[in-house]
Amino acid sequence: MIYANAFFTSGNSYPNEDIVELADNYTHQAVTYKKVGTAVEDGVIYRKKDNDFYERQWSGYVNALWWNIKEPGISVTTVTERINKALAPGYDIFFDEMSIEIDGTLYLQSNQKILSNNCKIKQTAESKEIFNCENKENISIKGFSLEGKKGEYVASSSSKNVGIMAHNAKNLIIEKNRFKNFTYSAVSGWGGVKHFIFRFNRVTNEFPDGWATAGSSYKKDNMGIVVAGENLTIFKNHFENSSQGIYIAENSNFVSISDNDVENTILEHGMYLDSGISNLTVIGNRVRNTVKVGIKLQNSDKAGYVSNNIVISNNIVENTGEGGDGILINNTTAPEVPQLYAKNVVVSGNVVRNAGQHGINVRFVDLGVVSNNVINDIRYAGIYISDTKGVEIANNNIKMTKENGIMIEANNYLLSANFNTIENPGMKDSGLEDLLTGITLRGTKNKEISLRYNKMIGNGTAMRYGVFVEFVEPAGPNPQQQTFQETYEMVGNTVLNVFRSEYRFLNVIKKLRVFRNNYINLSSFPPVEQF
């Protein structure tokens, strides 16, 4: 068998046949070259013998080894240059199982697939991504093990300390890869990304202890993945040991995050879902051991940044840090700024355990349901509700909360809490009795509140009251600005094993709209004339 380099060496005596069977010098595979017309010689696919041009014949993927990237003693710079030479024509390229180092960026082309059998590529240069597919389309990256430089940190969306740079990419599939030690993100795709799929990948870091807070830099901008755009799918990935896990940037649309594992965030949230995201589903994920919030949707007052159509369902969230809610839907509204509300929100079927703040915290929502969640071992309230319109809290099972089972704060309209079971609330025993209850209802600017068929079961002295209602005395010529307690309804609730009284009404000045068929111990119930 004649080796290709020998056949194409100038001055040899091999005949210039139309089709020649040769052997590749670097893979030792049999290879066929076919005589063609005029071509641009590239030394791999197109080669020249005397005055004749030959084209290498192949089907499927070309092999990166054809570009001699494993030559003994080859420099890292030369490896980088040769891989880029292989990528430049836009061939679909296969990288066999091997370990290589590069000191620059590898640039992909539109309509290109790169496939690997666990090729390990390590970046040795600072501020250089490994693969760049910015402004490209129809690209697939599969089966690689990518490792970052590890040391440098840049707190900016323009940071290049990433595995794959994907700004403005379209129709991009990233699957079955491993990412390790990228100080910004495994994949960075800020703005303009469309039809993006990230699936079956594993993202882990092995940063030294204290790395995230070393020096004066709080390295929160280290993420498993950060992407923004339309039609984004993040499915069945594993994220571990980044400052925060999954980050979907602002104003993204049609986003699906499902069946992922996120664990051990070293500074912040398991998932950060930024302002203005709409048509979002977060389903069936497992989030654990986060320093702050497990799953956070951050709504905003910025014009055009309203989140619409949100489903957070069937997730498991456990072990959030101090001050970290299990699931949080929030708004950064300043008092002087008009409030915007997330619209059409469903939080259902989740399991939240051992949260460092509230189990589920819902604020600034217009039309929503919080239902069928299992919430256990919570540092503050099981469910915390504030500033909502038309929200129903139903069929939740809440157990072992340090404070309230359900805390209904101010500025809610058309809120109902029905058929919830609350067991052993108030375990902190702080003495603040409005916090040591099954359900607490604040009196400030709440209107049309309904508590129906809830069951509250205390334990020892922990639960002071089943339901604690705090009325605020009206003031001035427009009292409804302070209180709407005349529209409260309480029907069919049951309170067991309470320490002080099943129901307490503080500062009562007007009759309840409906109080009927509740379980009452008459010896501890307030006198009828107070209503």
Side-chain angles (χ1 to χ4, degrees):
M1 182 67 72
I2 303 170
Y3 278 94
N5 286 356
F7 179 81
F8 291 111
T9 299
S10 177
N12 68 66
S13 60
Y14 299 121
N16 292 16
E17 297 178 350
D18 289 344
I19 298 177
V20 291
E21 301 290 339
L22 304 171
D24 185 276
N25 283 69
Y26 312 116
T27 66
H28 309 293
Q29 297 169 318
V31 58
T32 300
Y33 276 88
K34 183 178 180 179
K35 191 182 292 185
V36 295
T38 302
V40 176
E41 185 178 13
D42 64 10
V44 176
I45 304 299
Y46 294 98
R47 303 194 69 168
K48 187 176 182 183
K49 184 177 187 298
D50 302 326
N51 293 320
D52 296 320
F53 287 93
Y54 286 81
E55 180 185 34
R56 184 171 186 146
Q57 306 298 293
W58 81 93
S59 61
Y61 290 78
V62 305
N63 194 330
L65 289 173
W66 298 352
W67 278 261
N68 194 19
I69 60 176
K70 291 297 289 181
E71 177 185 342
I74 188 174
S75 71
V76 174
T77 299
T78 302
V79 171
T80 309
E81 291 172 351
R82 289 181 179 177
I83 295 176
N84 273 320
K85 187 176 290 187
L87 292 169
Y91 305 124
D92 295 343
I93 299 183
F94 174 72
F95 290 73
D96 211 337
E97 185 175 4
M98 56 183 163
S99 294
I100 56 180
E101 293 184 344
I102 61 173
D103 62 359
T105 299
L106 305 178
Y107 293 93
L108 306 186
Q109 310 303 316
S110 291
N111 306 306
Q112 187 170 49
K113 298 177 182 178
I114 57 172
L115 172 66
S116 168
N117 180 25
N118 194 30
C119 172
K120 299 178 180 179
I121 304 178
K122 183 175 181 179
Q123 180 62 266
T124 64
E126 300 280 10
S127 296
K128 298 286 185 181
E129 68 271 30
I130 290 182
F131 288 123
N132 182 294
C133 51
E134 291 179 281
N135 303 299
K136 300 296 194 299
E137 59 185 24
N138 303 324
I139 290 175
S140 173
I141 303 169
K142 182 177 180 180
F144 289 87
S145 181
L146 306 180
E147 183 174 349
K149 181 68 166 63
K150 191 175 182 177
E152 187 184 40
Y153 169 78
V154 177
S156 168
S157 59
S158 62
S159 174
K160 294 181 177 293
N161 298 311
V162 304
I164 299 172
M165 189 71 78
H167 304 325
N168 299 303
K170 296 178 176 61
N171 299 321
L172 175 60
I173 299 175
I174 302 170
E175 61 181 330
K176 296 184 178 179
N177 303 284
R178 291 175 176 264
F179 299 86
K180 177 179 163 183
N181 294 342
F182 291 98
T183 58
Y184 188 72
S185 181
V187 177
S188 179
W190 284 90
V193 176
K194 294 183 178 180
H195 303 289
F196 171 88
I197 297 175
F198 187 80
R199 63 190 178 196
F200 308 118
N201 300 284
R202 186 175 182 88
V203 181
T204 61
N205 294 313
E206 296 176 348
F207 299 137
D209 291 342
W211 172 86
T213 54
S216 60
S217 179
Y218 181 79
K219 299 180 177 66
K220 71 179 181 65
D221 291 327
N222 163 242
M223 293 150 290
I225 182 173
V226 55
V227 65
E230 297 181 8
N231 296 302
L232 312 177
T233 300
I234 301 176
F235 175 64
K236 283 195 173 181
N237 305 284
H238 182 93
F239 301 90
E240 185 174 357
N241 294 341
S242 52
S243 294
Q244 46 193 324
I246 297 172
Y247 191 127
I248 305 297
E250 57 193 21
N251 263 1
S252 294
N253 196 8
F254 294 103
V255 180
S256 173
I257 303 171
S258 61
D259 207 12
N260 298 280
D261 286 286
V262 181
E263 63 176 294
N264 298 338
T265 63
I266 58 182
L267 277 181
E268 295 215 347
H269 317 301
M271 295 185 195
Y272 186 91
L273 313 170
D274 209 345
S275 304
I277 298 175
S278 290
N279 301 301
L280 167 69
T281 58
V282 181
I283 298 176
N285 302 280
R286 294 157 297 278
V287 181
R288 56 190 179 274
N289 302 330
T290 62
V291 170
K292 291 192 177 177
V293 179
I295 299 172
K296 180 178 183 180
L297 175 69
Q298 179 72 55
N299 205 28
S300 172
D301 271 322
K302 189 173 180 180
Y305 279 61
V306 175
S307 296
N308 292 276
N309 309 331
I310 308 298
V311 175
I312 301 174
S313 179
N314 295 348
N315 303 282
I316 298 174
V317 180
E318 60 179 342
N319 302 332
T320 65
E322 184 176 354
D325 299 308
I327 298 171
L328 170 63
I329 298 172
N330 194 23
N331 184 294
T332 55
T333 304
E336 66 275 9
V337 179
Q339 296 170 354
L340 296 182
Y341 288 72
K343 297 182 178 181
N344 308 326
V345 176
V346 174
V347 181
S348 68
N350 301 283
V351 176
V352 180
R353 187 183 73 83
N354 194 26
Q357 189 160 277
H358 305 304
I360 296 175
N361 187 341
V362 175
R363 309 183 188 198
F364 301 97
V365 165
D366 184 355
L367 292 183
V369 173
V370 181
S371 67
N372 297 100
N373 300 284
V374 175
I375 303 169
N376 183 31
D377 195 10
I378 306 300
R379 185 162 184 172
Y380 291 97
I383 296 177
Y384 184 101
I385 301 292
S386 173
D387 296 87
T388 65
K389 305 174 185 178
V391 169
E392 181 175 8
I393 310 164
N395 295 296
N396 299 284
N397 196 327
I398 303 168
K399 184 176 181 179
M400 298 289 291
T401 61
K402 296 296 190 296
E403 294 185 347
N404 317 79
I406 298 174
M407 165 62 83
I408 301 172
E409 263 288 358
N411 300 299
N412 298 286
Y413 173 67
L414 282 177
L415 174 70
S416 61
N418 304 327
F419 297 99
N420 300 284
T421 299
I422 299 168
E423 185 176 357
N424 296 348
M427 301 301 290
K428 184 188 289 186
D429 196 17
S430 65
L432 301 174
E433 294 182 338
D434 60 329
L435 301 179
L436 306 180
T437 66
I439 299 175
T440 291
L441 178 55
R442 296 293 195 198
T444 306
K445 298 183 181 179
N446 282 312
K447 184 176 182 179
E448 296 290 352
I449 309 300
S450 173
L451 308 180
R452 292 173 174 263
Y453 300 103
N454 302 284
K455 179 176 285 188
M456 290 144 278
I457 305 171
N459 183 13
T461 63
M463 187 174 75
R464 298 293 200 271
Y465 301 95
V467 177
F468 187 106
V469 179
E470 177 190 18
F471 293 119
V472 176
E473 185 174 355
N478 193 11
Q480 67 270 24
Q481 295 297 316
Q482 295 296 322
T483 181
F484 297 105
Q485 80 273 18
E486 68 274 11
T487 61
Y488 295 161
E489 299 179 334
M490 299 182 197
V491 176
N493 299 284
T494 299
V495 181
L496 303 174
N497 300 337
V498 66
F499 179 61
R500 294 201 186 281
S501 177
E502 288 84 359
Y503 304 90
R504 182 179 182 186
F505 301 91
L506 184 63
N507 299 330
V508 176
I509 58 166
K510 292 188 177 182
K511 296 180 179 180
L512 290 170
R513 182 174 181 178
V514 176
F515 190 91
R516 184 176 65 241
N517 297 335
N518 297 280
Y519 176 90
I520 300 172
N521 181 343
L522 292 178
S523 65
S524 61
F525 191 69
V528 174
E529 60 265 25
Q530 291 196 30
F531 295 90

